[in-house]
Amino acid sequence: MKLYDRVHRIHRELAAQGLTPDLPLKVSDLTPFDQFHYHGTEAVEEAIAALSLKPGMRVLDIGAGIGGPARYIAERTGAHVTALELQEDLSAVGEDLTRRCGLSGLVDHRCGNVLDGVAGNFDCIVSMLCFLHIPDRARLFRVCRSVLREGGALYIEDFGRNRNATAAETEALAIKVQCPHVPTPEEYRSDLSGAGFAAVQLIDATADWTSFTASRLAAYRAARDRNVTIHGAEVVDGLDDFYATVAGLFSGGFIAGLKITAS
Ligand SMILES: C[S@@+](CC[C@H](N)C(=O)[O-])C[C@H]1O[C@@H](n2cnc3c(N)ncnc32)[C@H](O)[C@@H]1O
């Protein structure tokens, strides 16, 4: 998927600002580039508030990407974050960035598939735009339930669907977004309840994410010349196609943006 390959894009962005690989980093140097969900750290702040994250809490971030949300949570709250990521390349880049930020004591990068289970016991789970890649929700939520302490809570940002997909939407989702299954909000609620979660709350972010994804595409296109200079045309064309596909899925009314909390 175009968003997750060429993982060294982040190093090109940093180098463009004179931040060569030997230099230490601040979390704020990275946040414009290391948040692979919508609304960057503003969205992570919502997760922090929803879960009342505090120093000493143990948080599992599922689908951590290059660790943007995990580093931000650790620095901002003092919580300990286990950043679980499927792709080895993303996990390795994330671990190196965390080291350069001096946060290795608070952020533990692990490479693995959440469906294989996660060692440890956590107060909270955070997952930003990862579950859309995982069709086996029964197994996924079983793992989530098993790693949370009694009374623990989760915060998820994810896709739901407002209606059945057209053939073109199904193909775009499966091939360009690696999203083979999109539940309705009602199915989401019942999947979580079936796995033993209580106090399930779904907030509808569809309108906000529809406008965000359209603006993201427009901003990316407006900065095309600058981006081609830094990353080359192939990378920029790939990301342009990805951003356009996602914006089209939202503006066509298929995807529901969901922010989910449960305990
Ligand atoms: C859209 S990215 C979001 C990354 C990060 N949460 C963020 O907001 O910056 C979703 C991530 O989930 C990871 N992922 C997908 N399936 C996974 C699985 N089964 N186990 C762990 N990570 C997974 C992908 O490799 C990808 O890096």
Side-chain angles (χ1 to χ4, degrees):
M1 194 176 116
K2 301 293 185 199
L3 185 63
Y4 308 156
D5 68 3
R6 319 298 170 114
V7 300
H8 291 284
R9 285 198 313 271
I10 181 81
H11 293 134
R12 290 178 180 265
E13 291 288 359
L14 294 175
Q17 296 172 61
L19 293 165
T20 48
D22 50 309
L23 293 176
L25 293 168
K26 298 192 292 293
V27 168
S28 57
D29 293 328
L30 294 171
T31 50
F33 316 110
D34 67 359
Q35 310 283 319
F36 292 174
H37 53 268
Y38 308 144
H39 292 299
T41 56
E42 210 181 293
V44 187
E45 284 287 351
E46 285 186 45
I48 290 170
L51 296 170
S52 302
L53 296 183
K54 293 186 180 55
M57 286 175 87
R58 297 152 302 159
V59 181
L60 173 64
D61 179 5
I62 300 177
I66 58 172
R71 276 185 298 274
Y72 186 82
I73 288 171
E75 185 183 68
R76 174 75 176 71
T77 70
H80 184 280
V81 187
T82 297
L84 178 71
E85 168 52 45
L86 180 66
Q87 285 190 206
E88 273 177 32
D89 49 2
L90 292 172
S91 190
V93 167
E95 187 164 21
D96 183 58
L97 294 173
T98 295
R99 179 189 58 76
R100 290 174 66 189
C101 288
L103 282 171
S104 301
L106 276 183
V107 182
D108 173 23
H109 288 268
R110 288 193 208 166
C111 185
N113 183 345
V114 63
L115 295 180
D116 294 336
V118 186
N121 188 251
F122 300 91
D123 298 300
C124 295
I125 291 174
V126 170
S127 188
M128 311 292 276
L129 294 186
C130 167
F131 288 2
L132 58 98
H133 298 306
I134 306 176
D136 189 347
R137 298 301 171 100
R139 189 164 157 198
L140 172 63
F141 294 146
R142 224 174 17 248
V143 172
C144 291
R145 175 70 187 82
S146 71
V147 300
L148 274 181
R149 71 162 167 79
E150 203 58 42
L154 56 73
Y155 182 93
I156 308 166
E157 292 200 354
D158 200 3
F159 289 179
R161 72 180 159 88
N162 289 314
R163 57 167 169 77
N164 291 331
T166 64
E169 286 167 339
T170 301
E171 187 180 328
L173 279 161
I175 293 170
K176 294 189 178 174
V177 193
Q178 296 293 316
C179 177
H181 166 74
V182 194
T184 63
E186 295 71 31
E187 286 166 340
Y188 219 115
R189 187 183 290 282
S190 108
D191 287 348
L192 278 167
S193 302
F197 284 92
V200 179
Q201 290 195 338
L202 275 67
I203 295 174
D204 183 354
T206 309
D208 181 35
W209 291 5
T210 301
S211 107
F212 176 89
T213 52
S215 307
R216 176 173 71 170
L217 175 63
Y220 198 67
R221 289 190 169 162
R224 181 179 170 84
D225 290 348
R226 176 250 181 222
N227 289 331
V228 168
T229 305
I230 294 177
H231 300 288
E234 199 191 336
V235 169
V236 172
D237 288 342
L239 268 181
D240 184 289
D241 183 43
F242 174 76
Y243 291 152
T245 301
V246 174
L249 287 164
F250 271 105
S251 67
F254 170 69
I255 298 179
L258 297 177
K259 300 178 183 181
I260 300 132
T261 50
S263 64

Short mmCIF file of all heavy atoms in Angstrom, two decimals, residues 147-178:
data_model
loop_
_atom_site.label_atom_id
_atom_site.label_comp_id
_atom_site.label_asym_id
_atom_site.label_seq_id
_atom_site.Cartn_x
_atom_site.Cartn_y
_atom_site.Cartn_z
N VAL A 147 -5.58 -8.90 26.50
CA VAL A 147 -4.38 -8.18 26.96
C VAL A 147 -4.72 -7.01 27.89
O VAL A 147 -3.82 -6.41 28.48
CB VAL A 147 -3.50 -7.67 25.79
CG1 VAL A 147 -3.02 -8.82 24.94
CG2 VAL A 147 -4.22 -6.62 24.97
N LEU A 148 -6.02 -6.68 27.99
CA LEU A 148 -6.42 -5.56 28.86
C LEU A 148 -6.65 -6.05 30.28
O LEU A 148 -7.24 -7.12 30.47
CB LEU A 148 -7.72 -4.93 28.35
CG LEU A 148 -7.63 -3.86 27.28
CD1 LEU A 148 -9.03 -3.38 26.95
CD2 LEU A 148 -6.76 -2.70 27.72
N ARG A 149 -6.22 -5.26 31.24
CA ARG A 149 -6.56 -5.58 32.62
C ARG A 149 -8.07 -5.40 32.81
O ARG A 149 -8.73 -4.71 32.01
CB ARG A 149 -5.79 -4.69 33.59
CG ARG A 149 -6.27 -3.25 33.59
CD ARG A 149 -5.82 -2.49 34.83
NE ARG A 149 -6.01 -1.07 34.70
CZ ARG A 149 -7.17 -0.43 34.85
NH1 ARG A 149 -8.27 -1.09 35.12
NH2 ARG A 149 -7.24 0.88 34.71
N GLU A 150 -8.61 -6.01 33.87
CA GLU A 150 -10.03 -5.84 34.17
C GLU A 150 -10.33 -4.35 34.31
O GLU A 150 -9.59 -3.63 35.00
CB GLU A 150 -10.35 -6.59 35.48
CG GLU A 150 -11.79 -6.99 35.64
CD GLU A 150 -12.32 -7.87 34.51
OE1 GLU A 150 -11.58 -8.78 34.08
OE2 GLU A 150 -13.44 -7.63 34.05
N GLY A 151 -11.33 -3.86 33.62
CA GLY A 151 -11.66 -2.44 33.70
C GLY A 151 -10.85 -1.56 32.77
O GLY A 151 -11.04 -0.35 32.74
N GLY A 152 -9.93 -2.16 32.01
CA GLY A 152 -9.14 -1.39 31.05
C GLY A 152 -10.03 -0.87 29.90
O GLY A 152 -11.17 -1.29 29.77
N ALA A 153 -9.47 0.04 29.12
CA ALA A 153 -10.30 0.69 28.10
C ALA A 153 -9.56 0.77 26.77
O ALA A 153 -8.33 0.70 26.73
CB ALA A 153 -10.66 2.09 28.57
N LEU A 154 -10.33 0.92 25.71
CA LEU A 154 -9.69 1.10 24.40
C LEU A 154 -10.26 2.31 23.66
O LEU A 154 -11.39 2.74 23.91
CB LEU A 154 -9.76 -0.16 23.55
CG LEU A 154 -11.07 -0.84 23.22
CD1 LEU A 154 -11.86 -0.05 22.20
CD2 LEU A 154 -10.77 -2.23 22.63
N TYR A 155 -9.42 2.85 22.77
CA TYR A 155 -9.81 3.97 21.90
C TYR A 155 -9.36 3.60 20.49
O TYR A 155 -8.18 3.36 20.25
CB TYR A 155 -9.13 5.27 22.34
CG TYR A 155 -9.53 6.46 21.50
CD1 TYR A 155 -10.59 7.28 21.88
CD2 TYR A 155 -8.87 6.76 20.31
CE1 TYR A 155 -10.97 8.37 21.11
CE2 TYR A 155 -9.25 7.84 19.53
CZ TYR A 155 -10.30 8.64 19.94
OH TYR A 155 -10.68 9.73 19.17
N ILE A 156 -10.34 3.54 19.58
CA ILE A 156 -10.04 3.12 18.20
C ILE A 156 -10.51 4.21 17.24
O ILE A 156 -11.61 4.76 17.41
CB ILE A 156 -10.82 1.83 17.84
CG1 ILE A 156 -10.62 0.74 18.87
CG2 ILE A 156 -10.43 1.33 16.46
CD1 ILE A 156 -11.63 -0.41 18.72
N GLU A 157 -9.70 4.51 16.23
CA GLU A 157 -10.21 5.25 15.07
C GLU A 157 -10.20 4.29 13.89
O GLU A 157 -9.20 3.61 13.65
CB GLU A 157 -9.36 6.49 14.79
CG GLU A 157 -9.54 7.52 15.91
CD GLU A 157 -9.15 8.95 15.54
OE1 GLU A 157 -8.62 9.17 14.42
OE2 GLU A 157 -9.37 9.84 16.36
N ASP A 158 -11.32 4.24 13.17
CA ASP A 158 -11.46 3.19 12.16
C ASP A 158 -12.52 3.58 11.13
O ASP A 158 -13.26 4.54 11.30
CB ASP A 158 -11.86 1.88 12.87
CG ASP A 158 -11.57 0.64 12.04
OD1 ASP A 158 -11.00 0.77 10.94
OD2 ASP A 158 -11.92 -0.45 12.50
N PHE A 159 -12.57 2.77 10.08
CA PHE A 159 -13.62 2.94 9.07
C PHE A 159 -14.82 2.05 9.43
O PHE A 159 -14.65 0.91 9.87
CB PHE A 159 -13.15 2.46 7.68
CG PHE A 159 -12.12 3.33 7.00
CD1 PHE A 159 -11.62 2.95 5.76
CD2 PHE A 159 -11.67 4.50 7.57
CE1 PHE A 159 -10.68 3.72 5.10
CE2 PHE A 159 -10.72 5.28 6.91
CZ PHE A 159 -10.23 4.89 5.67
N GLY A 160 -16.01 2.61 9.19
CA GLY A 160 -17.22 1.80 9.13
C GLY A 160 -17.81 2.05 7.76
O GLY A 160 -17.21 2.75 6.94
N ARG A 161 -18.98 1.47 7.50
CA ARG A 161 -19.60 1.76 6.20
C ARG A 161 -21.05 2.20 6.40
O ARG A 161 -21.73 1.75 7.31
CB ARG A 161 -19.51 0.56 5.27
CG ARG A 161 -20.39 -0.59 5.60
CD ARG A 161 -20.19 -1.72 4.59
NE ARG A 161 -20.64 -2.98 5.14
CZ ARG A 161 -21.88 -3.42 5.05
NH1 ARG A 161 -22.80 -2.72 4.42
NH2 ARG A 161 -22.21 -4.59 5.59
N ASN A 162 -21.45 3.13 5.52
CA ASN A 162 -22.81 3.66 5.58
C ASN A 162 -23.77 2.89 4.70
O ASN A 162 -24.98 2.98 4.85
CB ASN A 162 -22.82 5.13 5.11
CG ASN A 162 -22.15 6.04 6.12
OD1 ASN A 162 -22.42 5.95 7.31
ND2 ASN A 162 -21.27 6.92 5.65
N ARG A 163 -23.23 2.16 3.73
CA ARG A 163 -24.08 1.42 2.78
C ARG A 163 -23.22 0.33 2.17
O ARG A 163 -22.02 0.24 2.46
CB ARG A 163 -24.61 2.37 1.69
CG ARG A 163 -23.51 3.09 0.94
CD ARG A 163 -24.03 3.76 -0.32
NE ARG A 163 -23.04 4.65 -0.92
CZ ARG A 163 -21.99 4.28 -1.64
NH1 ARG A 163 -21.74 2.97 -1.84
NH2 ARG A 163 -21.17 5.16 -2.17
N ASN A 164 -23.85 -0.47 1.29
CA ASN A 164 -23.06 -1.49 0.58
C ASN A 164 -22.16 -0.80 -0.43
O ASN A 164 -22.52 0.23 -1.02
CB ASN A 164 -23.98 -2.48 -0.14
CG ASN A 164 -24.72 -3.36 0.85
OD1 ASN A 164 -24.22 -3.62 1.95
ND2 ASN A 164 -25.91 -3.79 0.48
N ALA A 165 -20.98 -1.39 -0.66
CA ALA A 165 -20.03 -0.80 -1.62
C ALA A 165 -20.41 -1.18 -3.05
O ALA A 165 -20.97 -2.24 -3.29
CB ALA A 165 -18.62 -1.32 -1.31
N THR A 166 -20.08 -0.28 -3.98
CA THR A 166 -20.19 -0.64 -5.39
C THR A 166 -19.00 -1.56 -5.73
O THR A 166 -18.05 -1.68 -4.94
CB THR A 166 -20.09 0.61 -6.28
OG1 THR A 166 -18.77 1.18 -6.09
CG2 THR A 166 -21.15 1.65 -5.91
N ALA A 167 -19.04 -2.16 -6.92
CA ALA A 167 -17.93 -3.04 -7.32
C ALA A 167 -16.63 -2.25 -7.38
O ALA A 167 -15.57 -2.72 -6.94
CB ALA A 167 -18.24 -3.68 -8.68
N ALA A 168 -16.69 -1.01 -7.87
CA ALA A 168 -15.47 -0.19 -7.98
C ALA A 168 -14.94 0.16 -6.60
O ALA A 168 -13.72 0.16 -6.36
CB ALA A 168 -15.77 1.09 -8.78
N GLU A 169 -15.84 0.47 -5.66
CA GLU A 169 -15.40 0.79 -4.30
C GLU A 169 -14.78 -0.44 -3.63
O GLU A 169 -13.75 -0.32 -2.94
CB GLU A 169 -16.60 1.29 -3.47
CG GLU A 169 -17.02 2.70 -3.85
CD GLU A 169 -18.37 3.09 -3.26
OE1 GLU A 169 -19.18 2.19 -2.91
OE2 GLU A 169 -18.65 4.30 -3.19
N THR A 170 -15.39 -1.60 -3.83
CA THR A 170 -14.84 -2.84 -3.24
C THR A 170 -13.43 -3.07 -3.74
O THR A 170 -12.52 -3.41 -2.97
CB THR A 170 -15.74 -4.05 -3.59
OG1 THR A 170 -17.04 -3.79 -3.09
CG2 THR A 170 -15.21 -5.33 -2.99
N GLU A 171 -13.23 -2.85 -5.04
CA GLU A 171 -11.90 -3.09 -5.63
C GLU A 171 -10.90 -2.06 -5.10
O GLU A 171 -9.77 -2.41 -4.72
CB GLU A 171 -11.99 -3.01 -7.15
CG GLU A 171 -10.69 -3.41 -7.81
CD GLU A 171 -10.77 -3.33 -9.33
OE1 GLU A 171 -11.86 -3.57 -9.90
OE2 GLU A 171 -9.73 -3.01 -9.94
N ALA A 172 -11.30 -0.79 -5.06
CA ALA A 172 -10.39 0.25 -4.56
C ALA A 172 -10.01 -0.02 -3.11
O ALA A 172 -8.84 0.08 -2.72
CB ALA A 172 -11.04 1.63 -4.68
N LEU A 173 -10.99 -0.41 -2.31
CA LEU A 173 -10.71 -0.70 -0.90
C LEU A 173 -9.75 -1.87 -0.76
O LEU A 173 -8.78 -1.80 0.00
CB LEU A 173 -12.02 -1.05 -0.18
CG LEU A 173 -12.87 0.13 0.25
CD1 LEU A 173 -14.29 -0.31 0.51
CD2 LEU A 173 -12.28 0.76 1.52
N ALA A 174 -10.03 -2.94 -1.50
CA ALA A 174 -9.22 -4.15 -1.33
C ALA A 174 -7.80 -3.94 -1.85
O ALA A 174 -6.83 -4.38 -1.22
CB ALA A 174 -9.87 -5.32 -2.06
N ILE A 175 -7.66 -3.27 -2.99
CA ILE A 175 -6.34 -3.20 -3.63
C ILE A 175 -5.55 -1.99 -3.15
O ILE A 175 -4.39 -2.12 -2.77
CB ILE A 175 -6.50 -3.20 -5.16
CG1 ILE A 175 -7.04 -4.57 -5.58
CG2 ILE A 175 -5.16 -2.93 -5.86
CD1 ILE A 175 -7.47 -4.67 -7.01
N LYS A 176 -6.17 -0.83 -3.15
CA LYS A 176 -5.39 0.39 -2.84
C LYS A 176 -5.35 0.73 -1.36
O LYS A 176 -4.47 1.44 -0.91
CB LYS A 176 -5.93 1.57 -3.64
CG LYS A 176 -5.71 1.37 -5.14
CD LYS A 176 -6.05 2.61 -5.90
CE LYS A 176 -5.78 2.40 -7.38
NZ LYS A 176 -6.23 3.53 -8.19
N VAL A 177 -6.35 0.27 -0.61
CA VAL A 177 -6.38 0.61 0.82
C VAL A 177 -6.14 -0.63 1.69
O VAL A 177 -6.01 -0.51 2.90
CB VAL A 177 -7.73 1.30 1.18
CG1 VAL A 177 -7.67 1.96 2.56
CG2 VAL A 177 -8.10 2.37 0.16
N GLN A 178 -6.04 -1.79 1.08
CA GLN A 178 -5.84 -3.05 1.84
C GLN A 178 -6.90 -3.17 2.94
O GLN A 178 -6.58 -3.42 4.10
CB GLN A 178 -4.43 -3.11 2.43
CG GLN A 178 -3.32 -3.15 1.39
CD GLN A 178 -3.34 -4.45 0.57
OE1 GLN A 178 -3.49 -5.52 1.11
NE2 GLN A 178 -3.20 -4.33 -0.74
#
